[in-house]
């Protein structure tokens, strides 16, 4: 199996950009990669970042000479807007394939990704999932879908293990947890895995509170319910808007808890969260996949992204960048832009320089799951997100308990 240390190294043979409008599977013209994300609607902020992350990767690979095994053929990003709706994402994926995309990336939301994965499978075009954790996506037995991040059950399991490790490291008992999560398969699957592993780790009580995926504008009722069991820690799984509401409600109700701990939470490790949450965000913990803040290559990419697009590059956008690198690695290894050949090549890639904080290369198992993906723990410290666990990725020491529980 060919080992890669970053796709940019693998494609560093300079070649001229091909011109023309032929489809990506032809042997001339640019190779088209389809990007499906919510670039309008409630999740347009993160969706736009992800599309920009993919665009930067395409530009970097082209600037480095394109696909070296194919005489420097260039890449072209073609974008679709899911609007945050599963049926729209499905139709956009089909449109991009019909227009010549030989591979897809996307889509941020698990329900949208479910539909896009089915289109990819039916069309025999590989999909590299940048963000979407639901186990069910790959449980279908699909052969054309690959995921770089950890899945929902592993995030729930690893989140429970990390919480137990925090207990051991700090000497602060964690016996009771109240767990708030968004309704639907995403929240359910993370919670179920956490609950099972929490029992193994000696956490005696896990109270479940759910909230709706739409029309959720105030978390006070749910947080007040979470406080009834007098928890040591409040755990939250969901997207950015609801995570922000939960953090604010915990502060407003002045709960006596040792900490707020996100698992697969779209808010707590976002660089905009500390300023948006203010005092409510300080000390909040988050077990999630995250870009590797200790990596010089990540620092360079993030710096250039912000200079180009005027916004910080969040983890989701870094995953979109790496998804394009995975496709480029497959193109380079297989020396073919035929989608079925590309699928076979992607299944065997080994990228030694992952942009996320986990040990080991990006390699896919027989289900299409990255075998080495896992979570790390972050914490809001002095108005910024720091990596605090495990030690090999830590940029600051953990503080626990935090907030009213100190």
């Amino acid at each position: 199996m060919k080992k890669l240390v970053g796709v940019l190294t693998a494609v560093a043979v300079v070649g001229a950009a091909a011109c023309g409008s032929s489809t990506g599977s032809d042997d001339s013209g640019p190779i088209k990669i389809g990007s499906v994300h919510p670039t309008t609607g409630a999740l347009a902020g993160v969706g736009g970042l992800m599309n920009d992350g993919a665009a930067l990767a395409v530009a970097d690979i082209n600037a480095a000479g394109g696909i070296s095994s194919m005489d420097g053929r260039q890449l072209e990003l073609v974008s679709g807007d899911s609007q945050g709706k599963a049926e729209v994402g499905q139709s956009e994926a089909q449109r991009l394939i019909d227009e010549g995309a030989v591979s897809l990336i996307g889509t941020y939301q698990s329900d949208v990704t479910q539909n896009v994965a089915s289109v990819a499978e039916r069309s025999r075009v590989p999909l590299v999932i940048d963000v979407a954790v639901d186990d069910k996506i790959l449980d279908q037995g699909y052969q054309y879908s690959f995921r770089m991040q950890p899945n929902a059950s592993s995030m729930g399991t690893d989140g429970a293990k990390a919480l137990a490790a925090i207990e051991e490291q700090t000497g602060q008992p964690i016996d009771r947890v109240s767990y708030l999560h968004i309704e639907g398969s995403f929240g359910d699957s993370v919670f179920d895995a956490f609950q099972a592993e929490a029992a193994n780790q000696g956490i005696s009580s896990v109270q479940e509170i759910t909230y709706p995926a739409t029309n959720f504008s105030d978390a006070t009722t749910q947080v007040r319910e979470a406080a009834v069991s007098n928890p040591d820690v409040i755990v939250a799984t969901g997207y950015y808007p609801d995570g922000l509401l939960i953090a604010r409600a915990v502060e407003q109700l002045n709960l006596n808890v040792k900490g707020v701990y996100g698992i697969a939470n779209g808010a707590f490790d976002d660089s905009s969260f500390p300023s948006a949450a203010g005092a409510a965000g300080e000390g909040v913990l988050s077990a999630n996949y995250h870009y590797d803040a200790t990596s010089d290559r990540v620092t360079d990419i993030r710096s250039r992204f912000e200079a180009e697009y005027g916004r910080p590059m969040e983890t989701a956008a870094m995953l979109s960048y790496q998804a394009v690198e995975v496709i480029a690695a497959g193109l380079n290894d297989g020396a073919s832009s035929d989608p079925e050949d590309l699928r076979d090549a992607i299944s065997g890639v080994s990228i030694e320089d992952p942009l996320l904080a986990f040990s080991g290369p990006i390699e896919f198992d027989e289900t299409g799951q990255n075998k080495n993906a896992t979570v790390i723990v972050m914490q809001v410290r002095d108005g910024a997100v720091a990596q605090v666990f495990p030690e090999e990725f830590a940029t600051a020491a953990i503080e626990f308990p935090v907030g009213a529980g100190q």
Side-chain angles (χ1 to χ4, degrees), residues 255-273:
L255 300 189
N256 184 33
V257 294
K258 294 179 179 180
V260 175
Y261 181 76
I263 301 178
N265 190 292
F268 298 163
D269 65 344
D270 190 290
S271 64
S272 69
F273 173 75

Side-chain angles (χ1 to χ4, degrees), residues 40-100:
T40 61
L43 297 172
V46 67
L49 283 173
M50 295 174 77
N51 195 70
D52 290 342
L56 181 63
V58 166
D60 284 351
I61 291 166
N62 286 343
I67 306 302
S68 60
S69 68
M70 300 170 68
D71 298 323
R73 280 188 68 188
Q74 301 281 278
L75 304 180
E76 178 186 349
L77 190 73
V78 289
S79 301
D81 176 15
S82 72
Q83 303 175 26
K85 302 173 183 177
E87 67 279 5
V88 176
Q90 178 175 323
S91 62
E92 285 291 86
Q94 188 63 62
R95 177 181 66 82
L96 296 176
I97 292 170
D98 291 345
E99 292 177 2

Side-chain angles (χ1 to χ4, degrees), residues 60-216:
D60 284 351
I61 291 166
N62 286 343
I67 306 302
S68 60
S69 68
M70 300 170 68
D71 298 323
R73 280 188 68 188
Q74 301 281 278
L75 304 180
E76 178 186 349
L77 190 73
V78 289
S79 301
D81 176 15
S82 72
Q83 303 175 26
K85 302 173 183 177
E87 67 279 5
V88 176
Q90 178 175 323
S91 62
E92 285 291 86
Q94 188 63 62
R95 177 181 66 82
L96 296 176
I97 292 170
D98 291 345
E99 292 177 2
V102 302
S103 188
L104 301 173
I105 67 168
T107 71
Y108 188 66
Q109 296 156 284
S110 290
D111 60 342
V112 179
T113 306
Q114 285 266 28
N115 283 25
V116 171
S118 69
V119 171
E121 191 73 13
R122 183 172 63 248
S123 302
R124 305 176 77 84
V125 168
L127 164 67
V128 179
I129 299 167
D130 43 22
V131 177
V133 303
D134 192 354
D135 292 18
K136 293 178 182 176
I137 299 168
L138 297 183
D139 285 350
Q140 306 298 317
Y142 291 151
Q143 298 298 302
Y144 284 79
S145 292
F146 304 88
R147 175 165 47 203
M148 295 181 299
Q149 61 168 123
N151 62 13
S153 60
S154 69
M155 293 184 76
T157 299
D158 291 345
K161 290 178 179 178
L163 189 59
I166 290 170
E167 175 185 24
E168 181 177 359
Q169 180 176 317
T170 62
Q172 290 289 328
I174 302 172
D175 297 319
R176 297 180 307 280
V177 166
S178 286
Y179 197 127
L180 293 90
H181 69 81
I182 195 167
E183 293 174 351
S185 59
F186 161 43
D188 291 344
S189 51
V190 179
F191 170 78
D192 289 345
F194 174 89
Q195 184 179 42
E197 184 59 33
N200 294 335
Q201 296 294 331
I203 297 172
S204 61
S205 173
V206 179
Q207 178 190 11
E208 180 183 18
I209 302 100
T210 63
Y211 58 87
T214 58
N215 300 318
F216 183 63

